[in-house]
């Protein structure tokens, strides 16, 4: 096994001495309050070992990383019927892009961009008895940690500034690809994005995707096939219009969020989570992208 601790220590220390040219997202005002200096790397492997360096125990806003959890829950609930309402192709566009949706008649390109995640949120609102509660319980189950919660202030901050998400939801509604009221679906969506987790909790929650659907606590949270399909979607669609670049530089399935988190995984081996709030111009963590590029190069462990 590579000396993971040494490798992540070196990457963390080296990046800390370089200039971070990214910018902390502030289009959701609450996110802009985060300290841009925080930086953590956490790795857990399928043999039960874990390694960490930096600010791995500070909870942060997972934002779009939550789209993997909502997709997993909706896919587990309703199986392949899901793909009638959302496609599985990369979009090559920013996460909140609107015109593709108009051109493609209300069928989002994939579940990891906002339009697709809003359709998935609609499925969960239709299928769950207590949507927000049931969803947070699902995430807690994946992570094996009952302390994970929504941040109501972040959800509210996003609601009052979420003009593009309202536009997307209304467009979906006009194409009859939204069954529930726009306000109800977006309330769920803003809450899922507001979930706060640490690097450690995220790595634990993604364990099932590296481990054929078997969670941290040893139960089969997802089927093997669901884990395989979701990993494929992460690889091709997990980084907005930088998915090709992430495959090229890092070579792992993964998902980023505008809170500065990135989770990536090598099936059968490990999950690695990085968190550094300043984002590059495509909305992905500037240090996170570099840390992961260096990590898979150093450990020779991309899927390619
Ligand atoms: N809640 C954010 C939004 O919808 C998520 C963006 C992201 O992390 O990509 O704008």
């Amino acid at each position: 096994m590579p000396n993971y601790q040494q490798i992540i220590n070196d990457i963390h220390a080296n990046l800390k001495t370089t200039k971070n040219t990214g910018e902390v997202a502030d289009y959701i005002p609450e996110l802009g309050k985060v300290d841009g200096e925080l930086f953590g790397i956490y790795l857990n492997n399928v043999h039960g070992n874990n390694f960490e360096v930096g600010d791995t125990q500070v909870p942060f806003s997972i934002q779009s990383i939550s789209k993997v959890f909502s997709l997993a829950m909706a896919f587990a609930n309703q199986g392949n019927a899901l793909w009638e309402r959302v496609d599985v192709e990369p979009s090559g566009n920013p996460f909140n892009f609107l015109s593709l949706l108009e051109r493609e008649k209300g069928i989002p390109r994939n579940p990891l961009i906002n339009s697709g995640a809003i359709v998935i949120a609609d499925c969960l609102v239709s299928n769950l008895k207590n949507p927000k509660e049931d969803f947070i319980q699902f995430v807690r189950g994946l992570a094996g940690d009952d302390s994970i919660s929504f941040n109501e202030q972040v959800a509210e901050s996003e609601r009052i500034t979420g003009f593009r998400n309202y536009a997307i939801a209304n467009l979906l509604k006009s194409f009859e690809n939204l069954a529930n009221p726009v306000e109800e679906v977006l309330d769920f969506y803003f809450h899922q994005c507001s979930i706060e987790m640490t690097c450690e909790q995220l790595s634990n929650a993604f364990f099932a995707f590296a481990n054929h659907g078997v969670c941290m606590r040893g139960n089969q949270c997802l089927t093997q096939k669901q884990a395989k399909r979701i990993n494929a979607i992460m690889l091709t669609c997990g980084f907005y219009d930088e998915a090709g670049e992430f495959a090229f530089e890092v070579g792992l399935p993964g998902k980023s969020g505008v809170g500065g988190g990135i989770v990536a995984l090598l099936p059968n081996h490990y999950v690695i989570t990085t968190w550094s709030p300043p984002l590059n111009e495509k909305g992905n963590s500037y240090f996170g992208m570099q840390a992961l590029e260096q990590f898979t190069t150093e450990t020779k462990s991309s899927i390619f």
Side-chain angles (χ1 to χ4, degrees):
M1 182 171 83
N3 189 343
Y4 287 131
Q5 189 63 56
Q6 187 63 50
I7 293 169
I8 62 173
N9 283 352
D10 290 349
I11 292 172
H12 189 270
N14 288 341
L15 280 171
K16 273 281 197 188
T17 62
T18 64
K19 186 172 157 48
N20 192 333
T21 62
E23 279 181 32
V24 178
D26 59 3
Y27 74 99
I28 300 170
E30 276 298 309
L31 293 185
K33 298 181 180 167
V34 175
D35 178 0
E37 292 296 316
L38 296 167
F39 180 28
I41 306 177
Y42 189 99
L43 180 140
N44 55 355
N45 68 11
V46 294
H47 306 298
N49 307 308
N50 49 66
F51 309 89
E52 59 188 297
V53 58
D55 304 300
T56 55
Q57 304 301 326
V58 182
F60 62 91
S61 197
I62 69 168
Q63 291 297 317
S64 275
I65 299 172
S66 68
K67 292 170 181 167
V68 177
F69 301 142
S70 56
L71 169 62
M73 193 177 194
F75 194 18
N77 285 348
Q78 69 184 79
N80 288 331
L82 208 59
W83 313 125
E84 287 163 23
R85 296 184 54 190
V86 55
D87 209 342
V88 293
E89 296 298 335
S91 73
N93 286 305
F95 60 94
N96 56 6
F97 198 67
L98 271 155
S99 33
L100 201 61
L101 193 59
E102 167 87 334
R103 223 179 317 133
E104 297 182 351
K105 312 232 172 322
I107 302 295
R109 271 288 170 105
N110 67 68
L112 301 184
I113 50 173
N114 288 16
S115 53
I118 291 169
V119 167
I120 299 292
D122 184 52
C123 294
L124 292 175
V125 169
S126 293
N127 293 341
L128 301 176
K129 219 160 160 218
N130 302 301
K132 286 189 276 187
E133 263 168 65
D134 295 351
F135 180 66
I136 199 78
Q137 283 302 349
F138 177 75
V139 176
R140 289 172 179 160
L142 281 176
D145 188 330
D146 291 334
S147 69
I148 296 165
S149 301
F150 301 116
N151 178 326
E152 292 292 342
Q153 269 161 298
V154 172
E156 178 60 10
S157 182
E158 186 163 355
R159 188 185 68 78
I160 56 185
T161 53
F163 308 111
R164 295 190 74 87
N165 287 324
Y166 276 96
I168 289 171
N170 279 296
L171 200 52
L172 287 166
K173 192 87 183 156
S174 77
F175 282 112
E176 297 180 356
N177 198 6
L178 209 70
N180 298 286
V182 164
E183 205 57 64
E184 207 176 320
V185 177
L186 287 182
D187 178 59
F188 180 92
Y189 173 76
F190 296 146
H191 275 82
Q192 73 168 75
C193 291
S194 83
I195 291 176
E196 290 193 330
M197 292 169 77
T198 65
C199 290
E200 176 175 1
Q201 289 169 330
L202 272 170
S203 280
N204 289 344
F206 273 70
F207 185 84
F209 299 99
N211 197 34
H212 305 291
V214 179
C215 285
M216 286 294 288
R217 284 177 176 158
N219 49 321
Q220 190 86 42
C221 293
L222 307 166
T223 67
Q224 193 169 345
K225 195 165 153 188
Q226 285 158 356
K228 173 181 125 178
R229 298 260 185 269
I230 294 171
N231 286 341
I233 297 173
M234 281 195 256
L235 181 79
T236 52
C237 312
F239 293 83
Y240 321 123
D241 43 344
E242 212 172 30
E245 180 74 11
F246 193 78
F248 186 72
E249 298 284 349
V250 180
L252 296 174
K255 183 73 197 92
S256 63
V258 294
I262 301 182
V263 189
L265 62 104
L266 182 63
N268 296 322
H269 291 269
Y270 62 74
V271 182
I272 183 165
T273 301
T274 61
W275 175 50
S276 164
L279 309 179
N280 66 18
E281 66 289 351
K282 297 282 174 78
N284 297 308
S285 169
Y286 179 79
F287 271 2
M289 293 289 284
Q290 292 185 59
L292 292 168
E293 188 282 323
Q294 290 173 23
F295 180 80
T296 55
T297 302
E298 192 66 35
T299 54
K300 302 186 182 64
S301 67
S302 92
I303 61 169
F304 300 110

